[in-house]
């Protein structure tokens, strides 16, 4: 029902032997984050019927551009997501749905004016760990969409 009008923007992350997918569902009114997972063996042998839908991550809350970090922080899983116009990070002790809305904070915001990220900013691909820290590829919009 929450994906009545479609799904979009899937992002895959390998975490502890399972492939987790964040994606956006649209019911015709609200765009929300959903979560699904599949075992690595099923994934690499194309057994798509093995996908398990976990449900909405933040039910009833407009939210987009979600991606999981591939490892835990202090024992907790972390998700980047966009609550317009900023990128938020939220932590959870589990990888099921829903997640609490208590452990979250803004980590990147849109700029002002006519900059490339002046309207809103969101996470892109899963974060990549480097020897210098985490590399986050973002996406953004410089002006409001006409549609």
């Amino acid at each position: 029902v929450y994906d009545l009008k479609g799904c979009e923007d899937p992002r895959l992350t390998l975490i502890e032997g399972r492939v987790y997918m964040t994606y956006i569902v649209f019911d015709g009114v609200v765009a929300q984050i959903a979560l699904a997972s599949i075992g690595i063996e099923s994934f690499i042998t194309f057994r798509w019927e093995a996908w398990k839908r976990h449900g909405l991550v933040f039910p009833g809350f407009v939210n987009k551009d979600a991606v999981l970090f591939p490892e835990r922080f202090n024992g907790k899983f972390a998700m980047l997501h966009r609550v317009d116009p900023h990128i938020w990070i939220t932590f959870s002790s589990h990888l099921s749905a829903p997640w609490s809305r208590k452990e979250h904070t803004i980590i990147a915001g849109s700029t002002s004016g006519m900059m490339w990220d002046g309207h809103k900013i969101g996470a892109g691909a899963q974060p990549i760990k480097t020897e210098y820290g985490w590399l986050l590829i973002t996406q953004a919009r410089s002006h409001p969409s006409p549609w």
Side-chain angles (χ1 to χ4, degrees):
V1 177
Y2 52 76
D3 59 358
L4 182 65
K5 295 292 183 174
C7 301
E8 63 184 33
D9 209 8
R11 294 168 187 185
L12 304 178
T13 306
L14 180 61
I15 302 173
E16 300 174 3
R18 283 188 77 76
V19 176
Y20 285 85
M21 177 175 64
T22 57
Y23 59 105
I24 305 307
V25 294
F26 186 61
D27 63 5
V29 179
V30 178
Q32 301 178 80
I33 300 167
L35 182 65
S37 69
I38 189 171
I40 189 68
E41 186 64 30
S42 295
F43 184 79
I44 62 175
T45 57
F46 311 109
R47 295 197 331 258
W48 307 129
E49 72 282 357
W51 278 102
K52 177 184 176 189
R53 291 182 182 210
H54 299 283
L56 297 174
V57 179
F58 306 105
F61 190 63
V62 177
N63 207 327
K64 293 196 74 171
D65 297 332
V67 65
L68 291 163
F69 277 83
E71 63 183 58
R72 296 179 194 230
F73 297 92
N74 295 321
K76 294 194 175 186
F77 300 99
M79 179 185 295
L80 298 174
H81 54 102
R82 184 180 72 219
V83 179
D84 282 348
H86 308 298
I87 297 175
W88 292 71
I89 189 166
T90 301
F91 295 93
S92 175
S93 60
H94 59 80
L95 278 170
S96 55
W99 283 29
S100 169
R101 294 185 202 168
K102 294 180 181 176
E103 292 189 67
H104 60 259
T105 190
I106 295 170
I107 63 162
S110 61
T111 59
S112 60
M114 297 300 292
M115 301 298 290
W116 72 276
D117 59 350
H119 182 64
K120 58 183 160 183
I121 187 170
Q126 81 169 10
I128 301 165
K129 191 171 190 176
T130 73
E131 64 181 287
Y132 303 105
W134 288 95
L135 172 63
L136 175 60
I137 299 170
T138 62
Q139 58 173 325
R141 177 174 281 158
S142 61
H143 55 80
S145 172
W147 52 87

